[in-house]
């Protein structure tokens, strides 16, 4: 029966990037409703978790008073719970309470601001896993201190998970979903081969292939400092924030690629390893049942 399957590709905009789903299905399948379902899946994530949309559920929670319970949708609660788990396990290396710093340095919807940068650098921070309380049964959360949440290190991975859930709900058995450097494979290709994935060299201004391998029924996420950055003088400052300083990381691997069962976990762990470095990063990833498949250091000049 698999010989009757044809390769299809659908894609669309999401979270400042594009989503893509490659899948095998009958050649005459109606793609229009599938396109709508996949777009709906990522729109839900963007509508709930965007820091670029003032009325997203996340931004409304950021504006809520300290100590006040706030009802949140199930998807956002799921991501917050995973973020706090990884934040705690990483000792705060993965930290979602960096929204003020992300915005101050120009990685949000506004330009960099020197006063905001100074404030972010001087701020005394409590880790999100210490000040954010979740009530899963009631689908609500509250803050015990002022904190501005940003889910840029996990939301795209979760969006990929939503794409795969949608593919499964549509009865697809062979699919590869992606948003930026986050991917997740559902099954294999119909001939039994895994899905071929190419990783880029972690070099600014290039699009060369670093390595290639095959995946099946697993998620993959890459974090690095070579695509999203701001330039300060002759320095390139990565978008990954250092919770210890309130500013961009000064030292980190060039890139980290993590395999995990869910893409949101792979996404968050890749970000955490950027902060922790190789030795502590490998220990964290192994503790949480994932695997680092590539870790590229910067070449000495």
């Amino acid at each position: 029966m698999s010989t009757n399957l044809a390769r299809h590709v659908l894609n669309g905009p999401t979270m400042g990037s594009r989503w893509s789903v490659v899948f095998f299905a009958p050649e005459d399948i109606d793609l229009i409703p599938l396109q709508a379902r996949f777009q709906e899946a990522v729109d839900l994530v963007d509508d709930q978790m965007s820091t670029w949309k003032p009325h997203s559920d996340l931004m409304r929670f950021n504006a809520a008073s300290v100590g006040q319970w706030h009802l949140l949708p199930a998807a956002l609660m799921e991501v917050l719970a995973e973020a706090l788990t990884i934040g705690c396990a990483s000792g705060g290396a993965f930290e979602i309470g960096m929204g003020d710093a992300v915005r101050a340095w120009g990685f949000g919807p506004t330009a960099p601001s020197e006063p905001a940068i100074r404030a972010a650098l001087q701020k005394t921070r409590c880790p999100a896993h210490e000040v954010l309380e979740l009530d899963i049964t009631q689908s609500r959360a509250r803050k015990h201190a002022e904190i501005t949440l940003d889910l840029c290190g996990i939301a795209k991975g979760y969006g990929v998970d939503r794409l795969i859930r949608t593919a499964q709900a549509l009865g697809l058995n062979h699919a590869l979903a992606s948003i930026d450097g986050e991917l997740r494979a559902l099954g294999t290709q119909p001939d039994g081969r895994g899905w071929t994935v190419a990783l880029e060299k972690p070099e600014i201004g290039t699009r060369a292939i670093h390595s290639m391998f095959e995946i099946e029924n697993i998620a993959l996420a890459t974090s690095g400092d070579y695509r999203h950055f701001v330039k300060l003088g002759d320095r390139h400052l990565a978008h990954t924030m250092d919770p210890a300083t309130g500013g961009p990381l000064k030292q980190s691997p060039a890139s980290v690629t993590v395999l995990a069962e869910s893409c949101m976990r792979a996404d968050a762990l890749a970000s955490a390893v950027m902060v922790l470095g190789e030795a502590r990063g490998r220990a964290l990833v192994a503790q949480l049942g994932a695997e680092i498949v590539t870790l590229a250091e910067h070449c000495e000049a």
Side-chain angles (χ1 to χ4, degrees):
M1 184 171 180
S2 63
T3 57
N4 298 323
L5 301 180
R7 184 178 185 272
H8 303 275
V9 182
L10 295 174
N11 62 79
T14 187
M15 293 178 262
S17 183
R18 294 191 70 80
W19 62 267
S20 172
V21 180
V22 182
F23 61 97
F24 286 85
E27 187 172 4
D28 59 352
I29 192 171
D30 186 354
L31 296 177
I32 294 176
L34 274 65
Q35 174 81 26
R37 289 283 297 276
F38 286 129
Q39 189 66 54
E40 180 183 349
V42 293
D43 286 349
L44 177 145
V45 179
D46 203 17
D47 290 343
Q48 292 187 17
M49 305 176 205
S50 174
T51 56
W52 293 68
K53 296 181 177 181
H55 302 296
S56 72
D57 294 280
L58 179 67
M59 292 301 286
R60 290 190 296 108
F61 181 63
N62 277 338
S65 300
V66 171
Q68 173 187 332
W69 283 109
H70 197 84
L71 292 174
L72 296 176
L76 178 53
M77 288 290 292
E78 183 180 357
V79 172
L80 289 175
E82 178 74 348
L84 296 187
T85 295
I86 297 175
C88 184
S90 67
F94 180 74
E95 175 53 54
I96 59 172
M98 299 294 292
D100 60 306
V102 171
R103 184 177 289 257
W105 287 90
F107 293 109
T110 57
S113 162
E114 288 190 15
I117 287 172
R118 286 195 294 271
L121 292 173
Q122 296 169 2
K123 183 177 179 179
T124 301
R125 299 181 182 277
C126 294
H129 63 269
E130 293 183 2
V131 302
L132 186 59
E133 182 181 359
L134 304 183
D135 180 354
I136 301 297
T137 59
Q138 298 294 319
S139 195
R140 60 181 186 168
R142 64 177 171 180
K143 301 172 287 187
H144 293 287
E146 287 291 348
I147 190 169
T148 304
L149 304 178
D150 185 288
L151 300 176
C152 62
I154 193 170
K156 286 182 179 177
Y158 181 70
V160 172
D161 290 333
R162 299 286 303 194
L163 289 170
I164 289 296
R165 291 183 195 177
T166 301
Q168 291 172 314
L170 292 168
L172 303 177
N173 298 313
H174 311 280
L176 178 70
S178 64
I179 302 175
D180 270 358
E182 284 66 65
L183 305 97
R184 182 171 167 182
L186 173 61
T188 63
Q189 297 186 67
D191 61 5
R193 291 183 298 118
W195 297 91
T196 301
V197 174
L199 300 181
E200 290 182 338
K201 285 186 178 179
E203 297 175 3
I204 295 173
T206 68
R207 289 288 184 179
I209 293 176
H210 174 267
S211 57
M212 297 181 67
F213 53 95
E214 291 186 353
I215 61 174
E216 58 182 82
N217 286 320
I218 199 76
L220 173 153
T222 298
S223 186
D225 64 1
Y226 56 97
R227 288 288 173 260
H228 304 294
F229 55 83
V230 292
K231 195 168 183 180
L232 189 62
D234 60 352
R235 295 180 60 201
H236 291 83
L237 300 177
H239 70 291
T240 302
M241 292 291 134
D242 185 350
T245 66
L249 283 172
K250 293 181 180 179
Q251 284 189 312
S252 70
S255 73
V256 177
T257 300
V258 173
L259 287 174
E261 288 189 2
S262 74
C263 201
M264 71 169 169
R265 174 155 293 194
D267 194 5
L269 286 175
S271 297
V273 176
M274 290 289 291
V275 177
L276 290 171
E278 181 169 7
R280 291 189 296 159
R282 287 192 183 278
L284 170 68
V285 169
Q287 174 190 337
L288 294 178
E291 178 187 358
I292 294 176
V293 290
T294 66
L295 190 151
E297 299 287 0
H298 290 283
C299 296
E300 297 295 333

